[in-house]
Amino acid sequence: MPRTTDPHEDDLDTIPPPQPVFHIEQALLGALLLDPQHLGNVTGIASDSFSTAAHAALFSAIRSLPAPDPVQHATNAKWLDEVLTAAREHARGLSASYLHSLIQVCPWPRHASAYARIVEAEHSRRRLCAAAQRLTQTSRDTSAPQRVVTTLAEADALTAVVDDIAARFPPHSGSLPRTPAPTPATTHNEEAVEEERLLLATATAYPSSVEHMRWLTPADFTHPLHAGLWQCLTTLTRRSIPVDPVTVLWEAQHRGLLDTGARPRELLDLLDGTAGSPEYWGERILQRSVLASAHHIGLRIEAFTEDPATTAYQLVVGSRRALADLSAVRTRWQQAASPASTSKAARTRATAAPRAGPPRTTAAPTARISR
């Protein structure tokens, strides 16, 4: 018979137990309440470093009030009453009994600086997690007018958080996180597939542009077949071999792309039909790659912070390595979007001699599609 839930029954099993840092915060506050003189040894933290509003209010009250005379503090609770009154302005649920329980649970008041160091480390973890979540959310925000610019700004903010944590906790050599990296999302995007097809067809028709698009790599493509065909195009242009759908098909055979189930006629049809310029479609593909990389890197760093076994030192090393991957994609994006590369590619298309081939069914791309 199913168990009937009593609305007046307290189901304490549904309340998660407090994290270890909660008990460490209690020990720190207990040490400061018992011996306020230890506050001078507590550095690197502020009221927002604590995980609960009550603990934050208590620490703020302790810091704001003058330290009592040690002899008088040992004989009466006047200073504790002043701390409680000040803290209650921000946390009304505090009681005198809770302050006394904090004093009782503190093992060694002289270890206050060590407790504060742990609180600082856990606060750094929460800060890093929040910054990583902002990066992840921004990379998926389709309402932003300039998604790449906004996303990279959040990446810079995340980098600043990592640098600040590194200044507080200089990383040790070889201290990499042991947390497994999350699997990249492989959602099907028909718009991305179509843009990749248009790039391949247009680049096959105007291969002189491929030489100046080294900022685009096979890893930027969402479809493995399209990534392989882009490798075929870059290989043919690098070897100065004539480029057309037939030569690309031949190169694709050598690379084993036909073994994936693609038929020769399908590849020839895919490489036919141009629109716009290769640079335009390439930038579209690279833009999507930047956003996807930022999203995945945000998830990686968030996974580091959610692993309680990851130390502050490992958070710094792992986050910097993840951000380095985003920096590489960012550099290629800046190369693609720079006016110098745009004007150079435009001059190349204007002066290059047209290759021999069948009559065009679409106009040659004399300029980029306006965005």
Side-chain angles (χ1 to χ4, degrees), residues 124 127-136 149-169 171 293-294 297-298 301-302 305 312 315-328 330 334:
S124 298
R127 289 175 56 208
L128 185 60
C129 181
Q133 289 175 342
R134 287 193 298 270
L135 175 61
T136 302
V149 174
T150 306
T151 299
L152 293 179
E154 286 295 341
D156 290 338
L158 175 57
T159 301
V161 173
V162 175
D163 291 341
D164 180 69
I165 298 174
R168 297 169 180 265
F169 300 90
S293 297
I297 287 166
I301 296 177
E302 185 179 351
T305 63
L315 288 176
V316 171
V317 176
S319 298
R320 280 182 167 174
R321 179 161 296 191
L323 288 168
D325 296 338
L326 179 59
S327 179
R330 179 180 194 164
Q334 293 172 341

Side-chain angles (χ1 to χ4, degrees), residues 196-197 199-201 203-204 210 218 221 223-236 243 245 247-253 255 257-258 262 266-268 270-271:
E196 291 172 5
R197 290 173 178 172
L199 167 65
L200 294 170
T204 302
V210 177
F221 289 76
H223 197 290
L225 175 61
H226 298 167
L229 290 174
W230 181 249
Q231 284 184 307
C232 294
L233 282 166
T234 56
T235 299
L236 292 175
V243 176
T247 58
V248 175
L249 174 63
W250 186 244
E251 181 67 22
Q253 175 177 313
R255 290 183 175 271
L257 298 182
L258 300 182
E266 293 176 349
L267 290 185
L268 292 174
L270 186 150
L271 298 173

Side-chain angles (χ1 to χ4, degrees), residues 40-213:
N41 301 325
V42 174
T43 60
I45 62 172
S47 57
D48 61 355
S49 302
F50 291 80
S51 61
T52 69
H55 289 178
L58 277 174
F59 185 75
S60 178
I62 293 172
R63 292 185 63 179
S64 63
L65 294 174
D69 179 80
V71 176
Q72 294 182 356
H73 184 58
T75 58
N76 61 70
K78 179 181 178 181
W79 185 77
L80 293 180
D81 293 337
E82 293 176 355
V83 170
L84 179 60
T85 301
R88 273 180 172 172
E89 296 180 3
H90 304 283
R92 295 184 179 274
L94 285 171
S95 63
S97 61
Y98 186 66
L99 268 63
H100 288 287
S101 66
L102 293 177
I103 296 174
Q104 292 175 356
V105 299
C106 177
W108 295 99
R110 64 175 180 269
H111 293 168
S113 60
Y115 302 153
R117 185 66 167 167
I118 299 173
V119 171
E120 181 183 5
E122 288 304 299
H123 180 232
S124 298
R125 182 192 303 274
R126 294 194 298 272
R127 289 175 56 208
L128 185 60
C129 181
Q133 289 175 342
R134 287 193 298 270
L135 175 61
T136 302
Q137 295 167 359
T138 304
S139 66
R140 291 296 179 90
D141 184 7
T142 57
S143 64
Q146 293 181 314
R147 293 181 62 189
V148 172
V149 174
T150 306
T151 299
L152 293 179
E154 286 295 341
D156 290 338
L158 175 57
T159 301
V161 173
V162 175
D163 291 341
D164 180 69
I165 298 174
R168 297 169 180 265
F169 300 90
H172 306 307
S173 59
S175 54
L176 283 172
R178 298 181 296 272
T179 310
T183 304
T186 56
T187 56
H188 179 72
N189 190 322
E190 187 61 36
E191 182 182 5
V193 171
E194 183 61 24
E195 289 177 354
E196 291 172 5
R197 290 173 178 172
L198 288 170
L199 167 65
L200 294 170
T202 308
T204 302
Y206 307 103
S208 59
S209 299
V210 177
E211 180 183 354
H212 305 287
M213 294 174 62

Side-chain angles (χ1 to χ4, degrees), residues 22-45:
F22 177 83
H23 301 285
I24 296 167
E25 291 174 1
Q26 287 186 320
L28 172 60
L29 293 172
L32 298 179
L33 291 172
L34 183 63
D35 190 352
Q37 304 300 325
H38 288 301
L39 184 61
N41 301 325
V42 174
T43 60
I45 62 172

